[in-house]
Amino acid sequence: MGTWDDLGMPRSSNDKQPRDYVVDGAWPHAALAPDAPVSAYYGQSLSRNLARAMTSTGHTLRSLAEATGLTHSTISRVLNGRVMPDLGTLARLEAAFGFQLWPGLAALPPTPSES
């Protein structure tokens, strides 16, 4: 397996906000641009996972902020695709829920040979 650069994937510091790659529909269920980086797909899937987790546990932005020590605005930015969380933020969110939110490779769209 090659490096990230070998796969034509930009470094995350060069990526735009995940929701900036939306071409049709509403975040986080929208279609993303064909050239969207993997971070956009991960951000979209993470946003959906976080929204489902909040709904299933009854957490609001403020109650989740209190439970995690994060600000409600940070959680809102993750939900709205305005930012990719750092590992500390992700760890706090997952610890508060007691289950994994990070989507992993399942977030990636199928490659043409897989569809």
Side-chain angles (χ1 to χ4, degrees), residues 43-67:
Q44 186 178 49
S45 187
L46 175 63
S47 178
R48 287 191 303 257
N49 291 349
L50 179 55
R52 278 193 299 267
M54 290 175 69
T55 298
S56 71
T57 61
H59 271 298
T60 64
L61 287 174
R62 296 213 184 262
S63 69
L64 185 56
E66 187 175 313

mmCIF file of all heavy atoms in Angstrom, residues 43-67:
data_model
loop_
_atom_site.group_PDB
_atom_site.id
_atom_site.type_symbol
_atom_site.label_atom_id
_atom_site.label_comp_id
_atom_site.label_asym_id
_atom_site.label_seq_id
_atom_site.Cartn_x
_atom_site.Cartn_y
_atom_site.Cartn_z
ATOM 1 N N GLY A 43 -16.033 13.085 7.507
ATOM 2 C CA GLY A 43 -16.758 14.117 8.243
ATOM 3 C C GLY A 43 -18.257 13.968 8.113
ATOM 4 O O GLY A 43 -19.002 14.129 9.084
ATOM 5 N N GLN A 44 -18.720 13.616 6.918
ATOM 6 C CA GLN A 44 -20.151 13.427 6.691
ATOM 7 C C GLN A 44 -20.673 12.233 7.490
ATOM 8 O O GLN A 44 -21.708 12.321 8.153
ATOM 9 C CB GLN A 44 -20.410 13.242 5.206
ATOM 10 C CG GLN A 44 -21.876 13.187 4.859
ATOM 11 C CD GLN A 44 -22.090 13.047 3.367
ATOM 12 O OE1 GLN A 44 -21.472 12.203 2.729
ATOM 13 N NE2 GLN A 44 -22.969 13.858 2.811
ATOM 14 N N SER A 45 -19.965 11.138 7.449
ATOM 15 C CA SER A 45 -20.398 9.953 8.172
ATOM 16 C C SER A 45 -20.326 10.168 9.684
ATOM 17 O O SER A 45 -21.222 9.762 10.427
ATOM 18 C CB SER A 45 -19.534 8.763 7.753
ATOM 19 O OG SER A 45 -20.024 7.574 8.304
ATOM 20 N N LEU A 46 -19.284 10.832 10.148
ATOM 21 C CA LEU A 46 -19.162 11.138 11.572
ATOM 22 C C LEU A 46 -20.316 12.021 12.025
ATOM 23 O O LEU A 46 -20.897 11.804 13.090
ATOM 24 C CB LEU A 46 -17.824 11.813 11.857
ATOM 25 C CG LEU A 46 -17.618 12.287 13.289
ATOM 26 C CD1 LEU A 46 -17.620 11.103 14.264
ATOM 27 C CD2 LEU A 46 -16.336 13.076 13.410
ATOM 28 N N SER A 47 -20.675 12.994 11.212
ATOM 29 C CA SER A 47 -21.785 13.880 11.540
ATOM 30 C C SER A 47 -23.090 13.096 11.685
ATOM 31 O O SER A 47 -23.858 13.305 12.627
ATOM 32 C CB SER A 47 -21.919 14.951 10.460
ATOM 33 O OG SER A 47 -23.001 15.797 10.731
ATOM 34 N N ARG A 48 -23.327 12.176 10.754
ATOM 35 C CA ARG A 48 -24.538 11.337 10.848
ATOM 36 C C ARG A 48 -24.492 10.473 12.111
ATOM 37 O O ARG A 48 -25.502 10.347 12.817
ATOM 38 C CB ARG A 48 -24.679 10.465 9.609
ATOM 39 C CG ARG A 48 -25.098 11.212 8.371
ATOM 40 C CD ARG A 48 -25.486 10.292 7.224
ATOM 41 N NE ARG A 48 -24.431 9.374 6.849
ATOM 42 C CZ ARG A 48 -23.641 9.501 5.782
ATOM 43 N NH1 ARG A 48 -23.806 10.524 4.961
ATOM 44 N NH2 ARG A 48 -22.714 8.608 5.517
ATOM 45 N N ASN A 49 -23.341 9.878 12.395
ATOM 46 C CA ASN A 49 -23.207 9.030 13.585
ATOM 47 C C ASN A 49 -23.431 9.830 14.862
ATOM 48 O O ASN A 49 -24.098 9.357 15.788
ATOM 49 C CB ASN A 49 -21.828 8.367 13.621
ATOM 50 C CG ASN A 49 -21.630 7.331 12.551
ATOM 51 O OD1 ASN A 49 -22.582 6.929 11.866
ATOM 52 N ND2 ASN A 49 -20.396 6.905 12.348
ATOM 53 N N LEU A 50 -22.884 11.029 14.929
ATOM 54 C CA LEU A 50 -23.053 11.872 16.106
ATOM 55 C C LEU A 50 -24.514 12.282 16.281
ATOM 56 O O LEU A 50 -25.049 12.231 17.394
ATOM 57 C CB LEU A 50 -22.151 13.104 16.001
ATOM 58 C CG LEU A 50 -22.208 14.106 17.140
ATOM 59 C CD1 LEU A 50 -21.939 13.455 18.488
ATOM 60 C CD2 LEU A 50 -21.226 15.247 16.879
ATOM 61 N N ALA A 51 -25.170 12.648 15.207
ATOM 62 C CA ALA A 51 -26.588 13.032 15.292
ATOM 63 C C ALA A 51 -27.441 11.861 15.777
ATOM 64 O O ALA A 51 -28.306 12.033 16.643
ATOM 65 C CB ALA A 51 -27.082 13.529 13.936
ATOM 66 N N ARG A 52 -27.183 10.661 15.240
ATOM 67 C CA ARG A 52 -27.935 9.473 15.687
ATOM 68 C C ARG A 52 -27.673 9.183 17.159
ATOM 69 O O ARG A 52 -28.596 8.848 17.907
ATOM 70 C CB ARG A 52 -27.568 8.257 14.841
ATOM 71 C CG ARG A 52 -28.292 8.175 13.530
ATOM 72 C CD ARG A 52 -28.146 6.809 12.856
ATOM 73 N NE ARG A 52 -26.767 6.481 12.545
ATOM 74 C CZ ARG A 52 -26.165 6.725 11.386
ATOM 75 N NH1 ARG A 52 -26.824 7.299 10.407
ATOM 76 N NH2 ARG A 52 -24.910 6.376 11.185
ATOM 77 N N ALA A 53 -26.415 9.310 17.577
ATOM 78 C CA ALA A 53 -26.070 9.053 18.978
ATOM 79 C C ALA A 53 -26.766 10.046 19.904
ATOM 80 O O ALA A 53 -27.278 9.662 20.962
ATOM 81 C CB ALA A 53 -24.552 9.115 19.163
ATOM 82 N N MET A 54 -26.796 11.295 19.506
ATOM 83 C CA MET A 54 -27.467 12.300 20.333
ATOM 84 C C MET A 54 -28.961 12.027 20.415
ATOM 85 O O MET A 54 -29.556 12.128 21.496
ATOM 86 C CB MET A 54 -27.191 13.699 19.782
ATOM 87 C CG MET A 54 -25.748 14.149 19.977
ATOM 88 S SD MET A 54 -25.385 15.741 19.215
ATOM 89 C CE MET A 54 -26.361 16.831 20.274
ATOM 90 N N THR A 55 -29.567 11.671 19.300
ATOM 91 C CA THR A 55 -31.003 11.371 19.293
ATOM 92 C C THR A 55 -31.303 10.151 20.157
ATOM 93 O O THR A 55 -32.230 10.171 20.964
ATOM 94 C CB THR A 55 -31.491 11.133 17.850
ATOM 95 O OG1 THR A 55 -31.293 12.340 17.109
ATOM 96 C CG2 THR A 55 -32.958 10.754 17.815
ATOM 97 N N SER A 56 -30.513 9.113 20.016
ATOM 98 C CA SER A 56 -30.800 7.870 20.753
ATOM 99 C C SER A 56 -30.561 7.996 22.247
ATOM 100 O O SER A 56 -31.167 7.269 23.031
ATOM 101 C CB SER A 56 -29.996 6.701 20.174
ATOM 102 O OG SER A 56 -28.628 6.835 20.474
ATOM 103 N N THR A 57 -29.687 8.917 22.660
ATOM 104 C CA THR A 57 -29.409 9.079 24.089
ATOM 105 C C THR A 57 -30.131 10.272 24.705
ATOM 106 O O THR A 57 -30.082 10.464 25.913
ATOM 107 C CB THR A 57 -27.897 9.250 24.331
ATOM 108 O OG1 THR A 57 -27.441 10.420 23.637
ATOM 109 C CG2 THR A 57 -27.120 8.022 23.879
ATOM 110 N N GLY A 58 -30.779 11.077 23.858
ATOM 111 C CA GLY A 58 -31.496 12.243 24.359
ATOM 112 C C GLY A 58 -30.610 13.436 24.664
ATOM 113 O O GLY A 58 -31.059 14.410 25.256
ATOM 114 N N HIS A 59 -29.357 13.390 24.239
ATOM 115 C CA HIS A 59 -28.455 14.518 24.489
ATOM 116 C C HIS A 59 -28.786 15.704 23.595
ATOM 117 O O HIS A 59 -29.091 15.546 22.415
ATOM 118 C CB HIS A 59 -27.003 14.120 24.213
ATOM 119 C CG HIS A 59 -26.291 13.556 25.387
ATOM 120 N ND1 HIS A 59 -26.071 14.251 26.549
ATOM 121 C CD2 HIS A 59 -25.712 12.342 25.565
ATOM 122 C CE1 HIS A 59 -25.402 13.498 27.403
ATOM 123 N NE2 HIS A 59 -25.184 12.317 26.823
ATOM 124 N N THR A 60 -28.713 16.878 24.171
ATOM 125 C CA THR A 60 -28.752 18.127 23.426
ATOM 126 C C THR A 60 -27.306 18.602 23.270
ATOM 127 O O THR A 60 -26.394 18.019 23.871
ATOM 128 C CB THR A 60 -29.546 19.205 24.185
ATOM 129 O OG1 THR A 60 -28.847 19.490 25.407
ATOM 130 C CG2 THR A 60 -30.973 18.748 24.486
ATOM 131 N N LEU A 61 -27.107 19.649 22.506
ATOM 132 C CA LEU A 61 -25.750 20.201 22.398
ATOM 133 C C LEU A 61 -25.200 20.566 23.769
ATOM 134 O O LEU A 61 -24.059 20.256 24.103
ATOM 135 C CB LEU A 61 -25.744 21.439 21.495
ATOM 136 C CG LEU A 61 -25.910 21.216 20.006
ATOM 137 C CD1 LEU A 61 -26.020 22.556 19.278
ATOM 138 C CD2 LEU A 61 -24.758 20.410 19.443
ATOM 139 N N ARG A 62 -26.021 21.198 24.568
ATOM 140 C CA ARG A 62 -25.552 21.649 25.890
ATOM 141 C C ARG A 62 -25.323 20.492 26.856
ATOM 142 O O ARG A 62 -24.345 20.497 27.596
ATOM 143 C CB ARG A 62 -26.524 22.661 26.478
ATOM 144 C CG ARG A 62 -26.568 23.911 25.608
ATOM 145 C CD ARG A 62 -26.809 25.169 26.386
ATOM 146 N NE ARG A 62 -26.939 26.306 25.497
ATOM 147 C CZ ARG A 62 -25.955 27.147 25.221
ATOM 148 N NH1 ARG A 62 -24.761 26.956 25.725
ATOM 149 N NH2 ARG A 62 -26.154 28.176 24.426
ATOM 150 N N SER A 63 -26.189 19.493 26.846
ATOM 151 C CA SER A 63 -25.975 18.375 27.771
ATOM 152 C C SER A 63 -24.758 17.549 27.363
ATOM 153 O O SER A 63 -24.010 17.077 28.217
ATOM 154 C CB SER A 63 -27.223 17.486 27.881
ATOM 155 O OG SER A 63 -27.471 16.771 26.684
ATOM 156 N N LEU A 64 -24.536 17.408 26.058
ATOM 157 C CA LEU A 64 -23.358 16.686 25.595
ATOM 158 C C LEU A 64 -22.093 17.486 25.885
ATOM 159 O O LEU A 64 -21.065 16.915 26.269
ATOM 160 C CB LEU A 64 -23.473 16.366 24.107
ATOM 161 C CG LEU A 64 -22.358 15.503 23.526
ATOM 162 C CD1 LEU A 64 -22.203 14.182 24.283
ATOM 163 C CD2 LEU A 64 -22.627 15.235 22.049
ATOM 164 N N ALA A 65 -22.176 18.794 25.749
ATOM 165 C CA ALA A 65 -21.031 19.648 26.086
ATOM 166 C C ALA A 65 -20.665 19.479 27.556
ATOM 167 O O ALA A 65 -19.491 19.334 27.906
ATOM 168 C CB ALA A 65 -21.353 21.105 25.781
ATOM 169 N N GLU A 66 -21.665 19.456 28.400
ATOM 170 C CA GLU A 66 -21.418 19.276 29.836
ATOM 171 C C GLU A 66 -20.811 17.907 30.124
ATOM 172 O O GLU A 66 -19.891 17.780 30.924
ATOM 173 C CB GLU A 66 -22.725 19.455 30.611
ATOM 174 C CG GLU A 66 -22.532 19.446 32.111
ATOM 175 C CD GLU A 66 -23.823 19.746 32.859
ATOM 176 O OE1 GLU A 66 -24.503 20.716 32.475
ATOM 177 O OE2 GLU A 66 -24.127 19.000 33.803
ATOM 178 N N ALA A 67 -21.303 16.882 29.461
ATOM 179 C CA ALA A 67 -20.811 15.520 29.689
ATOM 180 C C ALA A 67 -19.389 15.309 29.177
ATOM 181 O O ALA A 67 -18.661 14.462 29.700
ATOM 182 C CB ALA A 67 -21.747 14.504 29.019
#
